[in-house]
Amino acid sequence: MAAKIDIGINEKDRKKIAEGLSRLLADSYILYLKTHNFHWNVTGPMFQTLHTMFMTQYTELWNSLDMIAERIRALGYPAPGSYKRFVELASITEEDGVPKAKDMIRQLVAGQEAVARTARQVFEVVDKANDQPTADLLTQRMEVHEKNAWMLRVLLEE
């Protein structure tokens, strides 16, 4: 039997926070996979710029997955860890084709914004529960995804 968790956040709030973080993990993983896919398959006149930018973004996303999953574990819940579960939880859809570069950028802007929205939704519960470590994690994630969305969005301007 597992030891009781007494970190100053009640069971009900820990469960809601873990559920929200599971959605954030799923969105982050789907976005990671989509960004890596686009890194491999981008073509056209912006190839070098996009190839490099996508690598920077998928590497950052990959590194964030552990932080999110480990926070779920610290709250006393299992982290989701299968493609099937990620697809069920995510607000971002997978891409199984190879879109043109500008469509890749549009999809990644939408994905970055979706992850920021998911983090922001979870933040409300976290703030009420007085969960500063998760609040810090979410604030960092929102900042990264909002900046990435902006950097991608400017590439769509004529």
Side-chain angles (χ1 to χ4, degrees):
M1 186 164 130
K4 183 179 182 304
I5 296 173
D6 185 12
I7 59 173
I9 304 170
N10 69 51
E11 168 69 24
K12 182 180 163 203
D13 287 341
R14 283 189 294 108
K15 186 176 193 314
K16 284 173 71 174
I17 294 166
E19 288 168 352
L21 288 175
S22 292
R23 289 191 312 276
L24 180 67
L25 182 61
D27 275 351
S28 299
Y29 201 95
I30 298 291
L31 183 59
Y32 155 77
L33 189 59
K34 184 178 281 196
T35 306
H36 210 151
N37 170 16
F38 292 170
H39 164 79
W40 290 328
N41 292 302
V42 69
T43 59
M46 292 193 293
F47 169 80
Q48 188 59 46
T49 299
L50 294 177
H51 187 72
T52 302
M53 178 185 265
F54 294 168
M55 183 170 66
T56 300
Q57 291 182 1
Y58 79 67
T59 301
E60 195 284 330
L61 275 159
W62 178 258
N63 291 329
S64 76
L65 299 174
D66 244 21
M67 293 185 289
I68 299 165
E70 288 175 0
R71 186 63 193 155
I72 294 167
R73 296 297 298 136
L75 292 167
Y77 291 89
S82 70
Y83 289 112
K84 180 180 183 217
R85 192 70 183 119
F86 287 150
V87 169
E88 291 169 354
L89 290 167
S91 67
I92 300 170
T93 57
E94 293 181 296
E95 172 59 64
D96 56 8
V98 182
K100 298 284 186 203
K102 286 224 173 181
D103 290 328
M104 288 178 175
I105 296 167
R106 283 185 195 92
Q107 283 192 42
L108 294 180
V109 167
Q112 294 284 347
E113 290 175 345
V115 178
R117 285 191 307 273
T118 299
R120 190 162 273 109
Q121 290 164 358
V122 180
F123 194 90
E124 291 180 34
V125 179
V126 166
D127 197 35
K128 286 179 185 149
N130 204 25
D131 179 0
Q132 293 88 355
T134 304
D136 184 49
L137 173 65
L138 293 172
T139 302
Q140 290 176 41
R141 298 314 310 148
M142 285 185 274
E143 183 179 5
V144 165
H145 293 291
E146 290 172 9
K147 183 177 180 181
N148 285 346
W150 158 63
M151 291 185 148
L152 288 159
R153 201 179 302 109
V154 298
L155 296 173
L156 297 171
E157 292 179 10
E158 295 300 327

